[in-house]
Amino acid sequence: MRLAFSTLALLAHIAVAVAVVPFYGNLAPDAGVVAKVPIHRHGGRVYNPDTVADMARFNAILQSSLERYSRTKRELQGNRVVRKALPLPDKLAPIGEDGSWYADVQLGDPGQNVQFDIDMTSSDFWVESTTSVRGTRFEAGNSQTYFSENKFVFRDCIGSLDALVLGDKQFKVEFAHCTPPRASVRTLNPSGGIMGLAHSSLSQTSLPHFFEDAKEKGKLAEGIFAIEFNNDDADLSAVLSFGGLSRYHDDPLYAPVKTFGFWQILFKSLMIDGNTVLDNIQGVIDITSPFVLAPPEDVRMFYNAISGAQPLSNGFWSYPCFEDPKIHIEHAGWLFPFRDSSLGKVKESSGYCVGPLVEADLAGLWVIGEPFLKGVIAIFDFDQKRVGLRSA
């Protein structure tokens, strides 16, 4: 059901909006924090509200996002809906794609630097070593702690075990080590790794999930990870914390995961300038998306509430920059603001800005990405299957 505007609803939401959750953060000691890892985007920040939008780059990254979400399906298991991975023919996922987030990680002993791309639509840890000079290649033979029984867990990928350093903490991690044959076109791709942060139902291999395994072995104080943007960084970086938060915070406001697999939760409503526009939003939290993706009919309803808004191409929309809409989304009874309502100007001389919502037909799902997440600390709880948010 879509909500109509009403005076009572407006007053109620304004009252909640005044009480936007505060942040009382001070730098914390590392009690309960297993690791804090800086992460960055390949190619740098995707958009800047103060510059002209790179629509060609936007379209390429949008297509990559849609492809990631097309690799899954929904299944009913008992009394719950589970998101499962579709079988892939030849490789687990692309590495080093423009716009994807990555962490520099030490793998093996002595440590070899491997850039692990962050993927919130899969749960596998895997490393691909190709013959290409691009990327960061892992040489298993150069690690004194590498072990494998040479059992294939995916095409050209064997189950492996080695030391992995996240921040200043060391783990023993099982991962798929993929070495495509020299005759394969895959060996021309960049070397590197994928760090899957989704639930274990989205695995393509039979290997233990990193978080479940680390918690079972007592390596993690808590089965959680958290993401916090560094908005003061011109290149836009973030911090990925494992096992706890990187700073003291008030208790986060949690919502249960609705479909096991993705980090999918229910948002009660979305507002523009104090008016409720949409309700009952099934949103997947995904740091890898630089946009907010939504069903086409929802996107049209959203922009119809902004005077002068008009469609561009490939699902993107624009609106007069002077409108500067104030966007809030309701989570666990509180209103959280979008950090960015613009992805940049359409043209240098244009008075129109590219909006943060983009049309995407994902079977009714929203993907809540960077324009919203830049304003919050997001906490992902494997133990209790929930997502927490706090204002940044």
Side-chain angles (χ1 to χ4, degrees), residues 25 32 48 55 61 73 84 91-92 116 130 133 139 159 171 209 215 219 239 242 251 254 286 302 305 310 342:
N48 187 331
M55 296 307 298
I61 292 174
K73 62 179 179 178
K84 302 283 287 185
K91 67 180 301 183
L92 289 168
F116 275 79
T130 71
V133 296
E139 295 284 359
F171 302 85
H209 192 287
K215 181 69 185 299
K219 287 289 188 177
V239 175
F242 294 88
D251 289 338
Y254 283 100
D286 187 356
F302 172 87
Q310 56 190 29
S342 164

Side-chain angles (χ1 to χ4, degrees), residues 199-219:
H199 293 272
S200 56
S201 65
L202 289 172
S203 173
Q204 292 280 352
T205 71
S206 57
L207 298 176
H209 192 287
F210 166 73
F211 271 91
E212 295 173 355
D213 189 51
K215 181 69 185 299
E216 182 179 331
K217 294 176 179 176
K219 287 289 188 177

Side-chain angles (χ1 to χ4, degrees), residues 41 45-51 58 101 229-231 233 236 270-271 289-292 302-303 306 319 324-328 336-344 353-357 368-376:
R41 278 198 188 275
R45 67 163 65 212
V46 174
Y47 72 86
N48 187 331
D50 299 323
T51 62
F58 284 9
W101 287 90
F229 282 85
N230 179 7
N231 291 302
D233 185 349
L236 187 65
L270 182 142
M271 300 175 66
S289 175
F291 320 118
V292 174
F302 172 87
Y303 286 109
I306 303 174
Y319 64 86
D324 190 23
K326 301 300 185 289
I327 309 167
H328 290 77
F336 289 84
F338 273 48
R339 176 80 183 212
D340 295 324
S341 59
S342 164
L343 303 180
C353 289
V354 181
L357 263 67
I368 310 295
E370 186 175 313
F372 172 72
L373 294 176
K374 282 173 67 176
V376 300

Side-chain angles (χ1 to χ4, degrees), residues 67-232:
E67 287 173 11
R68 286 191 297 111
Y69 280 92
S70 71
R71 300 197 296 260
T72 68
K73 62 179 179 178
R74 293 198 309 169
E75 289 185 359
L76 187 62
Q77 291 187 356
N79 59 353
R80 70 177 183 178
V81 178
V82 175
R83 181 73 60 170
K84 302 283 287 185
L86 288 171
L88 297 176
D90 58 354
K91 67 180 301 183
L92 289 168
I95 287 177
E97 285 193 311
D98 180 36
S100 60
W101 287 90
Y102 69 91
D104 284 306
V105 171
Q106 295 295 305
L107 182 62
D109 185 12
Q112 301 175 43
N113 184 69
V114 178
Q115 288 186 349
F116 275 79
D117 291 356
I118 308 301
D119 188 356
M120 299 187 73
T121 62
S122 76
S123 61
D124 292 306
F125 268 51
W126 64 281
V127 174
E128 184 155 276
S129 299
T130 71
T131 59
S132 172
V133 296
R134 296 180 296 149
T136 51
R137 180 181 171 87
F138 173 67
E139 295 284 359
N142 292 343
S143 173
Q144 299 174 9
T145 51
Y146 177 83
F147 174 78
S148 176
E149 294 182 345
N150 293 317
K151 293 181 179 179
F152 284 94
V153 295
F154 194 81
R155 182 176 177 181
D156 302 324
C157 306
I158 57 175
S160 304
L161 178 71
D162 210 340
L164 178 79
V165 177
L166 296 172
D168 61 350
K169 308 296 181 182
Q170 187 178 88
F171 302 85
K172 282 287 188 179
V173 63
E174 292 189 62
F175 61 97
H177 187 208
C178 309
T179 51
R182 291 182 177 273
S184 168
V185 294
R186 278 176 57 193
T187 201
L188 303 177
N189 295 331
S191 296
I194 294 286
M195 184 184 297
L197 297 180
H199 293 272
S200 56
S201 65
L202 289 172
S203 173
Q204 292 280 352
T205 71
S206 57
L207 298 176
H209 192 287
F210 166 73
F211 271 91
E212 295 173 355
D213 189 51
K215 181 69 185 299
E216 182 179 331
K217 294 176 179 176
K219 287 289 188 177
L220 288 176
E222 298 177 85
I224 69 171
F225 69 94
I227 295 170
E228 181 176 359
F229 282 85
N230 179 7
N231 291 302
D232 295 329

